[in-house]
Amino acid sequence: MSVIHSSSCNYPQCPAFDPPRLFPELIEAFGNGMKLDPSNAVYAAVRESFAMLGYDSENAGTKDWNPLSFLVKPGETVFIKPNMIAERHKLNTDWEYVITHGSVIRPIIDYLFLAMHGRGRIIIGDAPQTDSKFNEIVRLLGLKEIQTLYGDFGDFEIELINLQDEFWVRKDDVYVEKVGLPGDPKGSLSFDLGEESYFHELDGKGKTYYGAFYDVEETNRHHANGKHEYLVSKSPILADVFINVPKMKTHKKCGLTVNLKSLVGINANKNWLPHYVFGSPEEGGDQFSAGQLQNRIENSIVMAAKKRLLKKNPLLQYLARKGKPIAYKIFGSTESVVRSGNWYGNDTVWRMALDLNTILIYGEPDGSLRNSGEMKRYLSVVDAIMSMEGNGPVAGTPRQTGLIIAGENPVATDSVCAKVMGFAWQKIPLIKNSFMKEGHSLVDFKYDEIMVLSNELPFQKRLSDISKEKTLHFLPHFGWVGHIEED
């Protein structure tokens, strides 16, 4: 694992985010005429992270350095998944601390090009939030400019794909229409994890799950009676290598979102994903933190309204749009009141996220899982140049952290991010439970075995030995304040 502190906390502003200088290993592939951007400290930080991890160390500093040659071979397909959740902050027009910046993606592609000797296929894709505009996100990230840059290399293809299968139209914060989208050109795959699911231990306990949309019955058809079914996009499963390029942010339902939670973006139907269990802990749920009468009244009113909204009656939609601000005044805004599983007691989302990671790491093109231990080739490069704290993942506040964090395992990388943020991994079910499973486990190591390599001395040590005083003390989402921070 590497933690690299960049010389700047700012992103370059000129796509296609060219390197700051002509590094020796780039001359062979691109020649002396390669365009440069001296302001691009991000490129240098990503490059330094590969060197810090010891990739192709015998050739480091020479024209023959090929850091990603261990990961990918010529002619293979690599799926790169940025965090493309939304084209803007929920409450303003900011975006640089909401989604992965294109300047982090560009050096990864350059070094993949070297490793693949100019022959292969790169797919950049994600399924943004259902009401987000993929093309606008692509524009902000400068991905078309990067794609065009490689247009003259005939044996090296870069494809941009929107994994959204639907776009949900919102008016006044109410979903009023679904518009079908093509989704993954390769189609989708259904995986039933059954007893392999992290939900298996909840079977038979009368749980009713809420997914991503008003149709509760659909969610529970796929998670009942020992069945735990997910619909995922084929392209990430079919790819030889998966590279996650997430953003480092707090998250309302699982504490933080980096690699593990970000796999919601490979899903092909978000309503198959359980997000919380109806009710309070006293009732066997995690929707609310307490079984107050006000919460039960709110739930009965909201669910009755959502069932009627499924009928797509324009009058009902209009009444819901006009009534929602009134409801917020009575019951409180979601940005200030714990509801919808947005708190430290959410016992659902971590299970869903780890199930999706099991599918990615072990999934076969026929919907089965390959043998335990035969893990997909994987790399993570975390964009923590600008991060988000507070009400993440789309309504928080920016932190100029100036970091690139990289590694070859999603659990290890998220563990490092949690430590850097000042969070205790044992208090984050998403991370803690990653170390608990046997069989198709996401780890073959213990937390105490994670080593960090860094250009910052306080982080250059075993992860468990890093002092909390040296961490960044992120403000958690309000539903996690006082429950996730290191003691």
Side-chain angles (χ1 to χ4, degrees):
M1 296 298 311
S2 70
V3 176
I4 299 299
H5 194 277
S6 172
S7 61
S8 172
C9 292
N10 297 314
Y11 295 106
Q13 299 300 309
C14 186
F17 311 115
D18 299 308
R21 62 187 181 88
L22 196 58
F23 297 109
E25 68 274 7
L26 300 181
I27 298 175
E28 186 78 16
F30 302 103
N32 290 306
M34 189 177 192
K35 291 183 179 180
L36 303 176
D37 180 358
S39 72
N40 192 353
V42 176
Y43 193 109
V46 173
R47 179 182 185 271
E48 186 176 357
S49 72
F50 295 159
M52 185 67 70
L53 288 166
Y55 296 161
D56 193 26
S57 58
E58 59 271 25
N59 291 310
T62 76
K63 66 180 180 61
D64 296 320
W65 189 51
N66 196 340
L68 298 186
S69 57
F70 80 99
L71 183 69
V72 62
K73 301 177 181 64
E76 291 189 322
T77 297
V78 179
F79 192 97
I80 297 178
K81 189 212 161 297
N83 183 325
M84 303 172 76
I85 185 171
E87 67 273 14
R88 51 168 290 177
H89 190 279
K90 184 176 181 179
L91 306 176
N92 55 55
T93 59
D94 295 348
W95 65 272
E96 286 189 330
Y97 56 100
V98 179
I99 52 180
T100 304
H101 198 275
S103 61
V104 182
I105 299 170
R106 166 64 191 278
I108 296 171
I109 293 177
D110 284 356
Y111 287 103
L112 286 173
F113 182 81
L114 292 182
M116 300 164 85
H117 300 296
R119 291 184 289 109
R121 186 164 175 248
I122 307 295
I123 302 171
I124 305 175
D126 192 15
Q129 204 166 256
T130 46
D131 58 352
S132 298
K133 300 172 183 176
F134 182 81
N135 289 337
E136 175 62 10
I137 298 169
V138 166
R139 185 189 70 79
L140 292 171
L141 269 55
L143 297 182
K144 289 281 189 182
E145 287 83 353
I146 297 174
Q147 185 184 43
T148 300
L149 183 73
Y150 276 93
D152 294 334
F153 296 92
D155 294 330
F156 190 78
E157 178 186 2
I158 298 177
E159 183 179 3
L160 309 176
I161 62 173
N162 181 7
L163 299 182
Q164 288 174 310
D165 64 330
E166 293 178 328
F167 177 77
W168 297 358
V169 180
R170 293 174 71 132
K171 291 184 179 179
D172 301 323
D173 207 28
V174 172
Y175 293 116
V176 297
E177 184 182 0
K178 286 185 178 183
V179 179
L181 297 174
D184 188 343
K186 295 290 186 182
S188 58
L189 286 167
S190 175
F191 285 85
D192 181 4
L193 293 184
E195 294 185 1
E196 288 281 354
S197 171
Y198 285 83
F199 283 102
H200 175 61
E201 64 178 320
L202 302 184
D203 287 343
K205 295 187 177 181
K207 306 289 185 181
T208 301
Y209 300 106
Y210 186 84
F213 193 59
Y214 306 148
D215 190 348
V216 175
E217 291 183 3
E218 180 183 39
T219 308
N220 287 274
R221 282 197 302 271
H222 297 285
H223 293 275
N225 302 318
K227 178 171 71 173
H228 295 289
E229 196 171 23
Y230 298 86
L231 194 68
V232 301
S233 301
K234 271 188 180 180
S235 289
I237 304 299
L238 295 175
D240 300 292
V241 178
F242 186 87
I243 299 182
N244 209 339
V245 196
K247 200 78 171 171
M248 190 169 79
K249 301 187 288 185
T250 52
H251 195 283
K252 57 189 177 184
K253 285 182 168 62
C254 54
L256 83 169
T257 175
V258 194
N259 290 279
L260 294 168
K261 174 59 174 65
S262 76
L263 284 202
V264 167
I266 71 166
N267 183 72
N269 187 321
K270 285 187 168 58
N271 205 37
W272 290 26
L273 304 179
H275 283 66
Y276 58 83
V277 174
F278 282 99
S280 64
E282 297 93 326
E283 301 158 325
D286 56 11
Q287 178 184 12
F288 301 109
S289 58
Q292 298 174 355
L293 176 61
Q294 178 174 314
N295 292 337
R296 289 195 289 271
I297 294 172
E298 174 188 345
N299 212 29
S300 61
I301 294 173
V302 170
M303 289 314 301
K306 288 182 176 181
K307 285 182 180 179
R308 287 167 173 77
L309 284 170
L310 281 173
K311 299 177 182 179
K312 301 180 182 179
N313 183 300
L315 177 59
L316 292 175
Q317 290 176 347
Y318 175 80
L319 293 174
R321 289 164 50 198
K322 298 305 176 185
K324 197 160 190 175
I326 299 173
Y328 277 153
K329 288 182 180 180
I330 296 172
F331 299 111
S333 165
T334 302
E335 305 310 321
S336 59
V337 173
V338 170
R339 62 161 60 87
S340 303
N342 299 340
W343 66 299
Y344 69 93
N346 188 309
D347 192 42
T348 304
V349 159
W350 70 263
R351 300 176 190 272
M352 172 264 284
L354 295 186
D355 275 0
L356 288 173
N357 278 268
T358 300
I359 290 169
L360 173 73
I361 297 297
Y362 291 107
E364 294 278 35
D366 62 357
S368 66
L369 300 181
R370 59 180 163 269
N371 294 334
S372 178
E374 298 178 11
M375 303 174 77
K376 192 181 196 74
R377 281 176 276 164
Y378 185 104
L379 178 67
S380 168
V381 180
V382 180
D383 176 5
I385 300 296
M386 287 187 68
S387 306
M388 181 186 290
E389 65 179 353
N391 292 1
V394 291
T397 54
R399 283 289 299 268
Q400 289 189 304
T401 41
L403 300 176
I404 293 292
I405 300 172
E408 296 156 46
N409 181 280
V411 178
T413 311
D414 283 18
S415 297
V416 172
C417 289
K419 169 64 79 170
V420 168
M421 296 166 85
F423 298 157
W425 69 276
Q426 304 97 322
K427 299 178 183 180
I428 305 172
L430 181 66
I431 297 177
K432 178 183 177 181
N433 290 293
S434 300
F435 290 94
M436 307 292 283
K437 188 179 182 183
E438 298 180 358
H440 288 90
S441 176
L442 301 176
V443 299
D444 56 3
F445 53 85
K446 297 178 181 179
Y447 180 88
D448 289 342
E449 296 173 341
I450 300 173
M451 296 294 298
V452 180
L453 303 169
S454 179
N455 59 356
E456 292 283 323
L457 285 179
F459 293 117
Q460 176 82 6
K461 58 184 66 178
R462 192 182 301 272
L463 182 59
S464 55
D465 292 336
I466 295 174
S467 168
K468 74 171 185 177
E469 284 74 24
K470 300 299 182 181
T471 65
L472 302 183
H473 303 287
F474 267 50
L475 174 68
H477 180 273
F478 67 84
W480 291 73
V481 169
H483 298 277
I484 190 176
E485 302 91 335
E486 284 200 280
D487 295 329

